[in-house]
Every structure is written in C-alpha cells, then in structure tokens.
Amino acid sequence: MRGELSRIEENLRRVRQRIEAAAQRAGRDPTEITLVAVTKGQPPAVVVAGYRLGVRHFGENRVHEALEKMPRVAELLASKQAGDAGPPEITWHMIGHLQRRKARDAVQHFALIHSVDTVRLAREINKRCQAVGRVMPVLLEVNVSGEATKFGLRPEEVFAAVPQIIALPHVRVMGLMTMAPIVEEPEEARPYFRRLRELRDELADRFPEAQWRHLSMGMTDDFEPAVEEGATLVRIGRAIFGERPPAG
Ligand SMILES: *Cc1c(COP(=O)(O)O)cnc(C)c1O
C-alpha cells in the first residue's frame, strides 16, 4: 500500500498540474474546476488513499457497487482517524447511466447525479426525492456525438426536455455532462466539448430560471481540451489510480 500511495500521490500531483496549466492557457481560474476522482472498479482502500491525499470528490458509475463501497470507506477512515473530527467529508458523484429502479438508492447516497438522460428518469428522481424530502442536484447528460452506443439526450431533444425537468420541484438542474467519443488524439475531442459549452450558453439564455453553472466533461484521455473549453467538473480515473482491476 505504501508504494501504491506514493504512486497515486505522484499521479494526482501531475493531473492537478495539467488541469491548472490547461486552465491558465484558456485564461480561466483553476479553482473553478473540481477534480472528481473516478473510483469505479477500485476497492475501498483506493478511495481512502485518495482521501488521504486531499481528494474529496469521488465518482462512481454503478449504484450497487457504490453502495457497497461507501460504508467500507467510512469505516476505514473512522478507524484510522480515531478520535478525529466527525465523519469524512466526501462528496459522491453518480456519473454512470442510472436505471430508474435504482433512483431511490441514488438520491439517498449521492450529492450530484451527472447522468440524467431522460425526462422519465428526472421524474423518477423527483418522486423519490419528494418521498424523503430532499432536492437533488443533477446534470443533464447530452450525447453530443450522436453515437448509438452512448446514453444522453440528443442536442435537438434537450430544448423540449428542459422545461419538463426544471418544472420538477425536487430536481435542481445545475448544468450539462457529456462523454466525448474515444479518439486517437485528445485534440479531436475538443469540438464535442465546445458544442456542450455552446449548448449550455443557449440554454442559459432560454431558461434563465435554472442554473447552468456546471459542465462535466473530460476524462483521463481528454481532460485538457475539456478544461480549455470550460469544464467545471472533470471525471478522472485511470490517470490517478492506474488501470482498473478486471471486473469480477
Ligand atoms: C469511467 C468513467 C470516467 C473516468 O474514466 P477514465 O478514463 O478512467 O478517466 C469518467 N466518466 C464516466 C461517465 C465514466 O464511466
């Protein structure tokens, strides 16, 4: 674990530097960008390692896996910081496709859902939040590239979906999320990120009653152009933690 900690530490340092440099190239304030460390497929000890290195935002893409991991992480941190102040301050992000039947668990355990991809899912989240008396911050996932394999609202669907979603009292839209296609060069992902930003700007004009602060875009292979194009949340796994262990 020692060696692993220093490897993750070095990776984190590099990732943070690259985010900062990309922000500076675009004349942006680097503190506007939140690093969401993606721990899907990683054991609880890896989350704890990230936490010890100062990471407070973690991303998971499957509700079931996350619900198993969260209490283990809390336990490990509590036993290690014996007597220390309070529970760990972790913000959990749901970044993967969310099935409607998992919405109830998701709204109770995540601080932000990045992946609202249908009006029906938004309605289900609203219903589940109403039952527990909370309001769920969400991002709308947009399939900018139009690839058939990807989830997300198509750009031409977004304008019809938004008024239906922002009318839901227990759902709070905070912005947009996208995944760029897998490309050879990070630079090739840039047009998709730019398109998401333009879409966000159009939505902010048309629907000023919602908040459009966040753009969740950029992963290990393409986060630098994403930051240059305005990302406020970058979701990075492998560049920090290395390749994921094979799914078991
Ligand atoms: C896995 C995943 C990431 C992180 O991918 P890396 O290539 O490991 O950085 C980001 N976003 C989503 C939605 C993911 O599923």
Side-chain angles (χ1 to χ4, degrees):
M1 207 58 213
R2 260 251 160 282
E4 189 168 3
L5 193 66
S6 60
R7 182 178 56 83
I8 295 172
E9 182 171 23
E10 178 59 21
N11 289 347
L12 253 177
R13 203 176 53 76
R14 272 206 217 107
V15 165
R16 286 184 174 132
Q17 265 174 4
R18 288 168 63 192
I19 291 171
E20 197 171 313
Q24 270 154 7
R25 284 196 294 279
R28 300 185 60 205
D29 175 356
T31 65
E32 289 170 8
I33 300 141
T34 299
L35 170 61
V36 178
V38 176
T39 45
K40 69 181 184 198
Q42 299 285 2
V46 165
V47 181
V48 170
Y51 189 88
R52 314 212 125 234
L53 296 166
V55 178
R56 292 295 179 268
H57 292 260
F58 292 93
E60 289 283 335
N61 73 332
R62 289 169 57 212
V63 173
H64 180 75
E65 179 185 337
L67 261 53
E68 284 189 343
K69 205 176 291 183
M70 288 168 178
R72 284 292 299 138
V73 169
E75 254 169 55
L76 287 168
L77 284 170
S79 68
K80 282 184 185 160
Q81 61 182 19
D84 246 34
E89 293 157 7
I90 294 187
T91 301
W92 289 101
H93 296 249
M94 173 59 193
I95 62 173
H97 175 62
L98 179 59
Q99 294 167 292
R100 272 179 293 132
R101 63 191 172 82
K102 302 277 176 67
R104 185 163 58 123
D105 283 333
V107 305
Q108 293 189 53
H109 292 93
F110 288 95
L112 179 66
I113 297 174
H114 291 227
S115 44
V116 169
D117 53 7
T118 60
V119 175
R120 285 178 86 191
L121 174 61
R123 289 202 181 110
E124 185 68 22
I125 291 170
N126 184 66
K127 181 170 124 190
R128 296 306 181 178
C129 283
Q130 194 164 17
V132 294
R134 73 164 300 191
V135 173
M136 189 73 217
V138 305
L139 307 178
L140 306 182
E141 181 172 356
V142 182
N143 181 358
V144 177
S145 65
E147 290 167 288
T149 52
K150 281 202 160 62
F151 291 104
L153 295 154
R154 282 174 288 121
E156 62 274 20
E157 286 176 327
V158 173
F159 288 90
V162 163
Q164 302 179 67
I165 296 173
I166 63 180
L168 301 168
H170 293 270
V171 171
R172 181 174 299 139
V173 175
M174 309 285 292
L176 303 178
M177 179 271 225
T178 200
M179 289 175 84
I182 296 167
V183 290
E184 288 279 312
E185 291 295 324
E187 199 49 39
E188 295 169 54
R190 182 184 300 276
Y192 304 97
F193 300 141
R194 183 171 295 164
R195 182 71 196 106
L196 194 73
R197 170 167 49 86
E198 290 167 353
L199 192 58
R200 189 273 308 271
D201 293 345
E202 291 168 47
L203 288 164
D205 272 351
R206 285 266 287 275
F207 304 102
E209 62 275 38
Q211 292 182 49
W212 298 102
R213 173 155 30 110
H214 284 301
L215 288 174
S216 170
M217 55 191 199
M219 309 174 24
T220 288
D221 292 328
D222 57 19
F223 69 87
E224 283 154 313
V227 166
E228 290 172 16
E229 294 300 329
T232 61
L233 294 156
V234 287
R235 312 176 308 267
I236 301 178
R238 289 169 303 132
I240 299 170
F241 302 115
E243 291 300 322
R244 284 174 278 277

